[in-house]
Amino acid sequence: MRLVLLGPPGAGKGTLAGLLKDQLGLAHISTGDILREEMKNNTPLGREAKQYIENGELVPDEVVTKLIDHKMTGGGMAGDGYMLDGFPRTEQQAQDLDRILEKLKKPIEHAIYLDSSLPVIIQRLTGRRICRNCSALYHIQNKPPKKPGVCDTCGGEVYQRSDDNEETIKTRMDVYMANTKPIISYYEAQGKLQKLDADKDAKDLQEILMKTIAR
Ligand code: AP5
């Protein structure tokens, strides 16, 4: 199975990818996670990305596309299946991705558009918490860790992302509407788009998605 997950910040791309990874054993490639790891390790790329991420802006296309090319082409992916989460985010990225995947003979089968409403997005993002060590996702209301501030899975510190504040969320939404929403029609034109109501509970969404792609 070869999927891209599209949708606004907080639509639940990472959450759904986590569930599908367990169910289908696909490689989960999240540009947001890769960039945060680079920031954590204070690499030159991490230092470059930090200024964009903290302002809610997009990291330049050539930087993220190179990352994805390296990840997909340079091996390290068990099997043929993948789920891309947070990439592509611009039409240029979508076109470059198609070129990379064409060379690899691993074209996208389904582009899953998680459509979520603004109040739900804001509730999810302002309440999200994340493990600094293993990136496990939590939410202060929807999915709190058993012990506050401590990851259930690895015991790591659970923190709030610096871009999950109301002001940066607003910028991220504006950036999404201007740059990423238009690529929905790019995949629609290819006959690959599946739109799902992402305000639903994550497990229900997983079930609906499995039925949709089995058709
Ligand atoms: P990235 O990390 O990709 O952020 P994003 O797209 O804004 O998406 P999020 O991670 O915020 O949300 P999500 O949809 O994964 O939601 P989640 O599952 O976590 O990117 C961050 C930054 O990196 C960008 O702003 C940009 O600067 C840069 N970047 C990354 N990729 C780039 C690219 N390709 N080009 C240029 N720049 C790039 O869920 C959120 C919360 O809600 C969680 O707490 C979860 O528990 C809860 N939740 C989720 N789903 C449900 C549900 N169904 N029911 C109840 N609760 C739910």
Side-chain angles (χ1 to χ4, degrees):
M1 189 84 62
R2 299 184 297 271
L3 308 175
V4 290
L5 298 174
L6 306 167
K13 302 179 292 295
T15 301
L16 189 62
L19 293 170
L20 292 174
K21 188 179 170 189
D22 291 343
Q23 184 173 5
L24 302 172
L26 302 176
H28 171 204
I29 301 165
S30 155
T31 37
D33 284 350
I34 297 171
L35 293 168
R36 277 185 291 279
E37 189 63 23
E38 296 283 338
M39 278 164 61
K40 189 169 91 180
N41 295 328
N42 197 23
T43 63
L45 170 59
R47 287 195 292 276
E48 184 185 354
K50 189 173 174 6
Q51 51 179 324
Y52 296 102
I53 292 181
E54 292 195 340
N55 290 327
E57 290 158 7
L58 293 181
V59 174
D61 284 342
E62 57 277 16
V63 175
V64 274
T65 302
K66 207 165 141 194
L67 267 182
I68 285 292
D69 194 0
H70 180 73
K71 192 91 189 166
M72 309 282 297
T73 312
M77 280 216 321
D80 274 347
Y82 58 77
M83 270 174 304
L84 284 165
D85 158 10
F87 188 94
R89 257 175 153 97
T90 64
E91 187 148 346
Q92 182 64 54
Q93 291 180 17
Q95 289 168 357
D96 289 340
L97 177 63
D98 276 349
R99 272 192 286 275
I100 294 167
L101 296 174
E102 199 181 320
K103 267 194 274 161
L104 294 171
K105 299 195 171 33
K106 290 184 183 178
I108 293 160
E109 291 173 291
H110 303 282
I112 311 298
Y113 168 33
L114 300 181
D115 187 23
S116 195
S117 64
L118 192 58
V120 169
I121 288 171
I122 291 171
Q123 190 268 356
R124 285 184 184 167
L125 291 181
T126 50
R128 171 168 55 192
R129 300 294 183 269
I130 178 168
C131 174
R132 210 178 276 287
N133 182 45
C134 72
S135 303
L137 283 170
Y138 296 94
H139 189 281
I140 51 173
Q141 282 129 14
N142 309 356
K143 194 190 169 206
K146 290 189 186 98
K147 192 172 165 198
V150 180
C151 177
D152 296 347
T153 312
C154 74
E157 182 202 355
V158 170
Y159 79 109
Q160 182 171 28
R161 270 170 51 174
S162 55
D163 56 346
D164 277 349
N165 61 75
E166 291 216 22
E167 199 189 328
T168 314
I169 291 169
K170 189 182 172 308
T171 309
R172 285 161 64 198
M173 281 305 293
D174 291 346
V175 167
Y176 168 78
M177 294 306 280
N179 298 279
T180 311
K181 188 117 195 263
I183 65 172
I184 303 291
S185 47
Y186 178 88
Y187 290 109
E188 202 164 24
Q190 294 187 357
K192 293 179 178 173
L193 193 76
Q194 312 276 0
K195 179 175 166 179
L196 302 183
D197 173 5
D199 283 358
K200 290 190 189 313
D201 173 81
K203 291 266 183 200
D204 292 344
L205 203 57
Q206 178 186 14
E207 211 172 296
I208 295 168
L209 173 62
M210 290 310 295
K211 282 186 191 147
T212 309
I213 56 186
R215 270 187 222 138

